Amino acid sequence: MKNKITQFAGFAMITACMIMTLLFLASIIYMIFSKGLPAISWEFITAVPRNGMTAGGVAPAIIGTFYLTAGAILFALPLGLACAIYLNEYSPKGVIVNIIRMSINNLAGVPSVVFGLFGLSVFVKFFGFGVSILSGSLTLGILILPAIISASQESLMAVPHSLREASLALGATQWQTIRKAVLPAAIPGIMTGVILSIGRAAGETAPILFTAATFYKRGFPNSLLSEVMALPYHIYALMTEGTKPDLQTPIAYGCALLLLVIVLLVSAAAIFLRNKYREA
């Protein structure tokens, strides 16, 4: 009887925590949709800002967010995957590898503003890229790099060793085994890390505040060295530096809704690809 009561209390606590979490999530989504949906229109999505960002649209910020996120993934994914392959498949097991893994996990907990200051010092000033898409993408790439390395490592470790042994027994080299046997089996897990990284890269404000974002830009970027508007920074600027809050606050909520929808759409596409690989 006592065990049944304990089990019931445990399940009740788990259920209550789940319901509370879902209520918080539903409240956030409802607030963003209810306050942001009235601002959404075709002009809002496709036009440039006008009248000191109190009218018009946010098309440059949408394009800028896409460029920064895509650039971060293109930089971080190959580097993170290569690092994970080396650590899991090639490096000798021992204390040094454990220290490297612990360092990568600790790097994931560094505040994003620190990455922004690093990007400002290295990419903007030292390499001379200036405040640009390139500087912002590299900074965001370094920000999401630990998550991609960790997810890729866990995925590679989850692949059974028997798969490697069978490939090597058939005469394949270690690299052929990794490329044709291990990586295809690990891709679903790697894609999960990419999905989480896309959401973080698209929603970060502090790193691009120092390296890429501009307060106001009528046109679209024409090169990797152009400064750019981005939805997270645009929301921040409208809510903290706007001179006409009555007009700019609805635009900020509209930007928040667009950012949420963009992240969900990109994540849905990545989930679709992950499931395709999993079925294969």
Side-chain angles (χ1 to χ4, degrees):
M1 185 67 180
K2 182 179 179 181
N3 291 336
K4 290 184 177 180
I5 294 175
T6 304
Q7 178 177 317
F8 177 79
F11 278 119
M13 185 177 298
I14 293 172
T15 303
C17 292
M18 181 189 69
I19 293 174
M20 186 178 298
T21 302
L22 293 176
L23 284 175
F24 282 132
L25 177 62
S27 299
I28 294 172
I29 293 176
Y30 173 76
M31 182 195 70
I32 293 176
F33 268 85
S34 62
K35 295 187 176 183
L37 198 58
I40 302 297
S41 65
W42 182 247
E43 180 188 13
F44 186 78
I45 297 173
T46 59
V48 298
R50 300 195 312 269
N51 300 333
M53 295 193 299
T54 60
V58 292
I62 297 173
I63 298 299
T65 302
F66 174 78
Y67 283 162
L68 290 171
T69 305
I73 295 297
L74 289 175
F75 170 72
L77 181 57
L79 192 61
L81 185 56
C83 182
I85 290 173
Y86 173 77
L87 290 174
N88 196 73
E89 304 293 332
Y90 287 103
S91 64
K93 304 299 184 269
V95 178
I96 295 178
V97 174
N98 292 333
I99 293 175
I100 293 174
R101 288 176 177 171
M102 184 177 64
S103 301
I104 292 171
N105 292 331
N106 290 335
L107 190 63
V110 174
S112 58
V113 67
V114 176
F115 286 97
L117 292 174
F118 172 82
L120 174 65
S121 301
V122 176
F123 301 125
V124 176
K125 294 186 176 180
F126 182 77
F127 286 110
F129 297 149
V131 177
S132 63
I133 296 174
L134 183 58
S135 296
S137 296
L138 293 175
T139 304
L140 289 174
I142 293 175
L143 174 70
I144 63 176
L145 190 58
I148 291 179
I149 294 174
S150 298
S152 300
Q153 263 194 286
E154 294 297 327
S155 301
L156 294 171
M157 290 172 63
V159 177
H161 283 285
S162 58
L163 192 63
R164 297 174 175 84
E165 293 169 355
S167 177
L168 293 172
L170 291 173
T173 63
Q174 186 173 4
W175 171 241
Q176 288 174 330
T177 299
I178 294 169
R179 183 166 58 89
K180 296 185 177 181
V182 178
L183 277 180
I187 279 180
I190 295 170
M191 291 299 294
T192 300
V194 172
I195 292 167
L196 297 175
S197 300
I198 287 172
R200 186 174 186 191
E204 284 291 346
T205 303
I208 62 174
L209 177 68
F210 303 111
T211 59
T214 182
F215 181 77
Y216 180 71
K217 185 179 180 68
R218 288 184 57 86
F220 297 94
N222 52 22
S223 75
L224 288 176
L225 297 180
S226 298
E227 59 184 6
V228 69
M229 294 180 68
L231 287 172
Y233 180 70
H234 196 54
I235 296 169
Y236 168 79
L238 290 174
M239 296 300 291
T240 59
E241 302 177 22
T243 57
K244 297 180 180 179
D246 293 340
L247 297 174
Q248 292 172 324
T249 299
I251 296 176
Y253 279 106
C255 291
L257 178 56
L258 281 178
L259 182 60
L260 177 63
V261 170
I262 289 171
V263 171
L264 289 177
L265 289 176
V266 175
S267 298
I271 290 172
F272 176 78
L273 292 175
R274 181 188 66 185
N275 292 339
K276 280 290 185 182
Y277 277 109
R278 185 171 290 169
E279 291 172 2

